[in-house]
């Protein structure tokens, strides 16, 4: 994930391009080849004068320098460092600021989103008396958390739909068994960062309420949902009983997440956070970066979302003009500032073309290409485009030219 101008570390999908399967080489040799490929790719991207898709790649020194430079505008650096996230600290300030931005009673800081999600689902299982969660098979909880909801918390999941979109109200009503919690990922990343309309979302939430269930939003990327839904962040968050948000996705933080909701829910979440090992001794660098993201990146997200539509259209036009036999930009009109691009070539071929483009023209168009999941068609590769500050000065003409340069390097 990808995250993330926004500066984020690269997601696990950012694997090095390989021409051989891992099993074709001895482990030590394969690890060395992978490290060299990754070094070449990072060097090429860092040497680019222009980058269409984030995130930027930084050294530790560069990240520390940027953190220190931004810090005086968001927090008093002469204050004491935090101790176990006490309320009278920078972590407490971040929690209060997050609750204020989302219009909720309280917020609790978590070191990871996976932990925040599991605590939320576990709390609701205890409160509702039901260990069954309704969620999407493409959701982060199902795909990227190693079945933590089942293995750690003893919960089970049922799927209202298998379609690559958000579940509808009718599908919630038609579930054949009761459930205690409806978990909705907004946007649904693995389906293409897709969102429902506001009317569809409110109807789905109402259907869950009619079935005596609570609603949890996996809102890791909730920050950029407001333009598509046509509502403010507090209005969106008010639909759910709890919301998880990430500080490094879209906001450019170092890491970290928060659970927001009522005072009583957040207090219970804090207890489970301690039990799950999330009561860290000091977290001030993460909290400082998160506060900077709320101040700097959050106001810019509507501009990124608007420009993503321009970028997606220019990519479609450029691929068509370059004579690519088949391609897909999904969604055609992005719902957020992130979207997918699919091409009919192996990932290693496209990654090599991208690296050569960066090395030869100092231009990074796409980041890492990877094979789609088991449900994806064979013989294609997928990448995720994130439109942030580095993309804002790209014109459609410049994008089409860069696409032509990229395609020319695919076969040679």
């Amino acid at each position: 994930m990808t995250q993330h101008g926004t500066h984020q570390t690269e997601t696990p999908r950012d694997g090095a391009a390989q021409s051989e399967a891992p099993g074709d080489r001895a482990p030590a040799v394969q690890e060395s080849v992978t490290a060299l490929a990754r070094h070449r790719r990072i060097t090429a991207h860092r040497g680019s004068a222009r980058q269409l898709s984030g995130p930027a790649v930084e050294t530790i020194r560069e990240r520390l320098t940027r953190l220190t430079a931004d810090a005086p505008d968001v927090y008093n650096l002469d204050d004491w460092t935090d101790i176990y996230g006490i309320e009278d600290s920078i972590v407490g300030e971040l929690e209060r600021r997050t609750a204020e931005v989302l219009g909720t009673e309280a917020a609790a800081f978590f070191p990871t989103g996976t932990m925040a999600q599991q605590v939320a689902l576990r709390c609701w299982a205890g409160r509702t008396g039901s260990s069954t969660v309704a969620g999407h098979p493409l959701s982060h909880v199902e795909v990227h958390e190693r079945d933590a909801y089942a293995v750690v918390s003893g919960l089970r999941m049922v799927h209202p739909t298998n379609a690559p979109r958000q579940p509808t109200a009718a599908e919630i009503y038609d579930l054949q068994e009761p459930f205690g919690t409806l978990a909705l990922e907004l946007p649904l990343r693995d389906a293409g960062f897709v969102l429902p309309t506001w009317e569809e979302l409110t109807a789905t939430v109402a259907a869950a309420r009619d079935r005596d269930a609570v609603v949890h939003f996996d809102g890791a990327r909730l920050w950029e949902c407001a333009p598509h839904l046509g509502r403010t962040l507090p209005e969106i968050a008010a639909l759910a009983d709890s919301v998880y948000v990430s500080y490094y996705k879209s906001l450019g933080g170092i890491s970290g997440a928060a659970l927001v909701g009522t005072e009583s829910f957040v207090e219970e979440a804090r207890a489970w956070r301690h039990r799950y090992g999330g009561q860290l001794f000091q977290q001030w660098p993460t909290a400082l970066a998160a506060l900077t993201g709320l101040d700097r990146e959050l106001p810019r997200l509507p501009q990124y979302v608007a420009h993503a539509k321009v970028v997606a259209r220019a990519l479609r036009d450029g691929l068509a003009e370059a004579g690519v036999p088949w391609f897909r930009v999904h969604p055609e009109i992005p719902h957020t500032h992130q979207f997918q691009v699919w091409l009919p070539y192996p990932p290693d071929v496209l990654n090599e073309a991208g690296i050569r483009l960066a090395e030869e023209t100092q231009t990074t168009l796409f980041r890492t290409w990877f094979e789609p999941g088991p449900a994806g068609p064979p013989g294609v590769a997928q990448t995720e485009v994130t439109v942030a500050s580095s993309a804002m000065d790209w014109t459609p003409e410049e994008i089409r030219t860069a696409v032509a340069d990229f395609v020319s390097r695919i076969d040679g």
Side-chain angles (χ1 to χ4, degrees):
M1 272 200 58
T2 90
Q3 334 67 295
H4 262 140
T6 302
H7 296 262
Q8 302 175 15
T9 55
E10 296 171 285
T11 70
R13 285 175 173 163
D14 188 43
Q18 300 178 23
S19 59
E20 301 179 71
D24 292 340
R25 293 174 177 263
V29 175
Q30 182 61 39
E31 183 177 347
S32 177
V33 171
T34 301
L36 288 172
R38 180 174 183 271
H39 177 75
R40 180 189 172 213
R41 172 176 48 77
I42 290 176
T43 300
H45 291 330
R46 280 180 55 79
S48 292
R50 304 193 73 191
Q51 298 185 34
L52 180 68
S53 179
V57 181
E58 296 178 294
T59 64
I60 295 173
R61 183 183 301 277
E62 289 168 339
R63 187 64 182 94
L64 286 173
T65 299
R66 186 161 59 86
L67 180 64
T68 304
D70 293 342
D73 294 335
V74 299
Y75 196 78
N76 179 13
L77 296 188
D78 291 324
D79 198 0
W80 304 108
T81 57
D82 58 298
I83 304 294
Y84 292 115
I86 59 174
E87 183 178 354
D88 186 19
S89 72
I90 188 172
V91 174
E93 174 63 21
L94 175 60
E95 291 174 336
R96 289 187 291 274
R97 177 73 187 283
T98 302
E100 177 185 337
V101 169
L102 295 173
T104 61
E105 292 181 7
F109 179 88
F110 279 77
T112 72
T114 296
M115 184 185 293
Q117 297 263 77
Q118 301 317 308
V119 166
L121 297 179
R122 183 157 194 159
C123 286
W124 290 126
R127 291 185 173 211
T128 63
S130 172
S131 61
T132 302
V133 179
H136 202 286
L138 291 177
S139 67
H140 194 279
V141 171
E142 281 280 58
V143 179
H144 301 291
E145 297 181 13
R146 296 197 176 192
D147 300 322
Y149 69 87
V151 176
V152 179
S153 301
L155 308 180
R156 58 187 294 267
M157 185 168 289
V158 294
H159 301 144
T161 181
N162 291 318
R165 54 161 173 74
Q166 303 287 344
T168 65
E171 289 164 340
I172 299 301
Y173 283 122
D174 288 343
L175 268 173
Q176 295 179 333
E177 55 187 304
F179 57 95
T181 304
L182 171 63
L184 295 175
E185 182 181 339
L186 302 176
L188 188 57
R189 174 195 180 177
D190 281 8
F193 304 95
V194 295
L195 287 165
T197 65
W198 177 253
E199 292 72 24
E200 290 168 339
L201 179 60
T202 54
T204 298
V205 169
R209 305 271 190 233
D210 287 345
R211 297 204 56 173
D212 297 322
V214 297
V215 177
H216 169 72
F217 284 169
D218 172 348
R221 297 172 172 84
L222 191 76
W223 309 115
E224 61 263 31
C225 292
H228 180 82
L229 294 174
R231 295 296 189 278
T232 64
L233 289 174
E235 288 176 306
I236 299 168
L239 289 180
D241 298 281
S242 61
V243 180
Y244 142 61
V245 291
S246 171
Y247 292 120
Y248 77 89
K249 295 180 176 72
S250 307
L251 296 186
I254 294 173
S255 63
L259 272 181
V260 303
T262 63
E263 290 279 4
S264 65
F265 170 81
V266 169
E267 280 303 304
E268 183 181 359
R270 292 180 195 277
W272 281 107
R273 178 184 64 188
H274 198 172
R275 294 185 181 109
Y276 274 64
Q279 194 85 346
L280 303 186
F281 177 57
Q282 289 189 347
Q283 300 168 106
W284 57 266
T286 299
L288 196 56
L291 285 170
T292 300
L294 289 173
D295 269 10
R296 301 281 179 85
E297 285 302 304
L298 184 58
R300 297 171 180 169
L301 285 174
Q303 302 170 47
Y304 299 164
V305 173
H307 195 55
K309 296 175 173 56
V310 176
V311 172
R313 176 61 183 269
L315 288 174
R316 292 200 309 273
D317 292 345
L319 290 168
E321 292 166 3
V324 176
W326 177 91
F327 63 87
R328 180 77 184 274
V329 176
H330 176 69
E332 286 194 359
I333 301 176
H335 296 178
T336 71
H337 72 315
Q338 296 179 286
F339 55 90
Q340 299 174 340
V341 178
W342 297 62
L343 290 178
Y345 305 95
D348 59 342
V349 171
L350 297 177
N351 283 322
E352 175 63 22
I355 291 172
R356 287 180 54 206
L357 178 70
E359 290 173 337
E360 295 166 12
T361 71
Q362 289 73 58
T363 298
T364 292
L365 184 63
F366 302 110
R367 299 307 290 265
T368 303
W369 294 85
F370 50 90
E371 292 182 351
V380 303
Q382 174 188 341
T383 192
E384 294 175 341
V385 175
T386 298
V387 175
S389 61
S390 65
M392 294 304 291
D393 64 346
W394 283 67
T395 66
E397 293 75 19
E398 290 170 331
I399 294 172
R400 293 197 300 270
T401 297
V403 168
D405 286 350
F406 171 76
V407 172
S408 72
R409 288 167 172 80
I410 290 178
D411 296 321

